[in-house]
Amino acid sequence: MIKVVGGTYREIDYDDISIEIYGSGFRATKFLLENNCKVDFNTVGNNDTIIYLNENQKVYNGFTFECKEYNEIITFKYSFSLDQPTIFPHLLTISKVEQLNIKSENIIAFGMLEADFILDGNKVVYDPQTPIKPKKFSEFGKAEELVYIVNKNEAFSIASSEDINEIKNYFFNSEKAKAFIIKNGPFGATLYLKDKEIEIPSYITNNVNKIGSGDIFTSSFGFYWMMKGLSLEDSAIHASRSTAVFCDKKVYVDTSILDSFDYTEFHNQTISKKQIYLASPFFSISDLILIDKIRFAFLSFGVNVFSPFHDIGLGDETAIATKDLEGIENSDIIFCVLDNFDSGTLIESGYSLAKGKKIIGYHRTCNDNDLLMLKPGNIHFYKHLTTAIYQTIWNL
């Protein structure tokens, strides 16, 4: 049995056109229950939350929960999953319930907006869930064996340093961690043990349903380590594989029992030397907001981006066109926003096609017949923005 501590939140995703109740805590619980692991879930929510969890109890044997009463379900709204979510109510107005006190042999804990907790366990996996003043485990917990799972910004914040040697020293000596894992999106993760570092691969998937992928990595890692008795290295590898299957198909799979695993590892050590060209209209406010968010998402992966609006701006049309074409020539892949069939974007697409460039086409509204002239080229079309962005990175 594993005790899970974490939030149960409403999630709205415009990219996926979905409204669901999950949150880190319940999504982790769902993975464990789907793999026949008994779970005692500790969370916070209102009467609707309790009704929802009661309905899940009818489906899963071995599912118990305790839900501290709160006045509403906190909502995360995503335009797409690589963008920062809007949170309702506002963070400054979220009050906290009485502290949760959790003691168990095995604990998977996620940082929560509306609750603090005290943990006492044998094996504990802790995912702080925020880079903004994340709580250090040493401030509230005791564990015989502690594994931190964080992203880069959380690691920097907890250790108050961006130097990996200082980070390792802090996690091992100040936090007394047995190990810690730093996740790095499409580039996989690194497992840090006291005596070595192990690169954990990521995998190329057809679809990228990213919301909750970190929750799946954390919960599946705890499952493999606590319930299946795998080594820390094998647990991390299978956690990455379970995350890949979730991102692709939104299912919860114990990959350690699969006869084969058909996803390809992603390896690209030269991505910082690559350049993406953004072909997109930038006339309406919605155009400008979208291209700004797409550009920021690519930059966050450490790749170079050439965006005509950001890098050239407005001015003499002939001079701009010349610089645009030079940007295409110097880029490794072209990302095209094709909705509304902007004439400039179509010209950029056609020029890229003539130059034999790799092209990723993103749209939500285009008829396939209208894209016919682009199809002979090295181009792939996607209607899901997060998937389109990841496929661009994977095709560099």
Side-chain angles (χ1 to χ4, degrees), residues 4 29 40 70 79 88 116 121 126-127 162 200 207 222 224 249 265 267 276 308-309 323 325 361 376 387 391 396:
V4 175
T29 296
D40 182 32
Y70 198 67
S79 56
F88 301 97
D116 294 323
Y126 173 50
D127 184 340
E162 295 186 11
I200 306 300
N207 306 294
Y224 295 123
K249 299 178 179 178
E265 292 183 11
H267 297 287
I276 298 167
F309 175 73
K323 291 179 180 178
L325 298 181
T387 299
Q391 291 293 340
L396 279 171

Side-chain angles (χ1 to χ4, degrees), residues 353 368-377:
L353 178 65
D368 282 351
N369 291 332
D370 295 328
L371 301 171
L372 189 61
M373 291 299 291
L374 291 174
K375 289 186 177 181

Side-chain angles (χ1 to χ4, degrees), residues 313-330:
L314 305 175
D316 178 72
E317 292 180 355
T318 302
I320 289 174
T322 300
K323 291 179 180 178
D324 285 353
L325 298 181
E326 288 176 357
I328 291 173
E329 299 253 11
N330 295 327

Side-chain angles (χ1 to χ4, degrees), residues 44 49 72 82 161 172 220 245 250 280 305 310 339 356 365 380 385:
V44 175
T49 310
E72 59 188 311
L82 291 171
S161 174
F172 289 129
S220 61
V245 177
K250 280 195 173 182
S280 170
V305 178
H310 294 90
D339 283 319
T365 60
H380 299 278
L385 180 54

